[in-house]
Amino acid sequence: METNTERADGAVEHIEPLPDPAPGIRLAKVTYYSQGLRVKGYWAAPESEQPLPGLVYCRGGIRNVGMVRVARIVTLARRGYAVFAPFYRGNDGGEGREDFGGEDRHDLYNGIRLLRGLPGTKPDPVMLIGFSRGALMALLAAKECEGVGPVVVWGGVSDLLLTYEERIDLRRMLKRVVGHPKKDRDRYETRSPVCWAEHIRSPVLIVHGSVDEHVGVEHAHRLAKALEAADKPYTMHLYEGRGHVFPREEDDRVLDSIFEWAAAAKERQSGGKDENPVRMTGEVPAKD
């Protein structure tokens, strides 16, 4: 990975190699440019002599809440991917201020540009996994950004107005960062994929626990309904009795299903078959 002295979007400004988090996995903290700001993210990849498919992990939360965990991106890298996980602006010493799917969405877009430009990454469209608030970030990228492949939204926010209603504990933050839901309704709608599902250009997998205590399962149903109405390809897996974070032993099984779906979705994309999307809706029973 090389540094770049230009402040172009997606250009690398600094690379801090970190100790290998697991045998055969390389890890670094990358400072890169986004709208002229220095922002940061983790990069991880297995040792390989050949270019690897790219994957961008879109974190949830805001600021220190929901920050990218090394263990999560290592789990993804072990599956044979070059992984990049942006922190979003203003985090870990990065410049600017996070705004929950506003201008900070460009930190994701430029992270995609960065990853696709690395010599160790295949030039193909990259897979996105968006968790919680990261789901709306991933779907914004599928709407506005080039080079996006299949998108997975896990426990994802799809309607920010619904989040305002559900999460009384987040209302103060949302009014400060996004605006008032009545006076600034347009700001909520531009951050809500259910309002512009017709513009999403990637196949979508919806993964959600039926008793998610942080992002209610209604978000999954509303997103599925919006994608269905827009005639967009999607698959939905609802896990009965599961909350926002799944048990560790089940997490691997869910990831297995995610990567199986992504492989099939990529094959359909490359074969030009997205005009006849496969839709599977319904509940996947939780395993004890």
Side-chain angles (χ1 to χ4, degrees), residues 2 24 34 37 46 57 65 79-80 93 111 115 117 121 123 134 145 150 175 184 202 211 221 245 248 257 286-287:
E2 297 181 355
S34 179
L37 300 172
Y57 179 75
V65 177
R79 292 173 178 266
L115 183 62
T121 307
C145 185
K175 284 191 284 189
D184 305 299
S202 296
V211 292
H221 291 301
V245 178
R248 181 180 296 180
S257 69
K287 298 181 180 180

Side-chain angles (χ1 to χ4, degrees), residues 68-209:
V68 180
R69 295 184 300 113
V70 169
R72 178 42 112 196
I73 63 169
V74 168
T75 298
L76 301 174
R78 277 178 167 157
R79 292 173 178 266
Y81 284 78
V83 181
F84 187 71
F87 298 165
Y88 312 139
R89 59 191 58 187
N91 289 304
D92 196 32
E95 297 173 343
R97 191 172 182 85
E98 198 174 356
D99 59 355
F100 218 77
E103 291 302 300
D104 62 1
R105 73 191 190 279
H106 293 283
D107 306 341
L108 168 59
Y109 303 172
N110 291 317
I112 293 169
R113 182 176 288 112
L114 179 158
L115 183 62
R116 294 187 76 207
L118 296 177
T121 307
K122 290 183 177 180
D124 307 333
V126 302
M127 177 181 174
L128 304 185
I129 298 180
F131 181 72
S132 196
R133 165 268 179 109
L136 69 87
M137 303 289 283
L139 291 171
L140 279 165
K143 169 177 172 269
E144 298 180 344
C145 185
E146 296 300 324
V148 175
V151 173
V152 179
V153 293
W154 189 336
V157 173
S158 69
D159 185 337
L160 200 57
L161 287 164
L162 177 59
T163 297
Y164 187 89
E165 293 175 10
E166 291 181 329
R167 294 292 302 274
I168 296 172
D169 58 316
L170 296 182
R171 288 181 181 176
R172 181 178 296 180
M173 179 277 291
L174 288 169
K175 284 191 284 189
R176 183 180 70 252
V177 175
V178 180
H180 193 281
K182 292 184 178 179
K183 297 177 182 177
D184 305 299
R185 186 180 181 90
D186 59 320
R187 297 182 187 176
Y188 283 78
E189 291 178 346
T190 59
R191 291 165 167 85
S192 298
V194 295
C195 295
W196 32 262
E198 68 275 16
H199 299 298
I200 293 172
R201 299 181 293 172
S202 296
V204 177
L205 172 62
I206 304 166
V207 176
H208 220 108

Side-chain angles (χ1 to χ4, degrees), residues 54 66-67 108 143 168 179 184 213 218 223 225 260 263 269:
M67 191 57 170
L108 168 59
K143 169 177 172 269
I168 296 172
D184 305 299
E213 67 280 17
E218 178 63 19
L223 179 58
K225 184 178 180 180
E260 288 171 6
Q269 278 186 307

Side-chain angles (χ1 to χ4, degrees), residues 16-23 25-29 42-44 70 74:
E16 178 187 351
L18 300 174
D20 292 350
I25 302 293
R26 294 171 294 158
L27 176 69
K29 185 182 292 184
Y42 281 135
W43 169 89
V70 169
V74 168

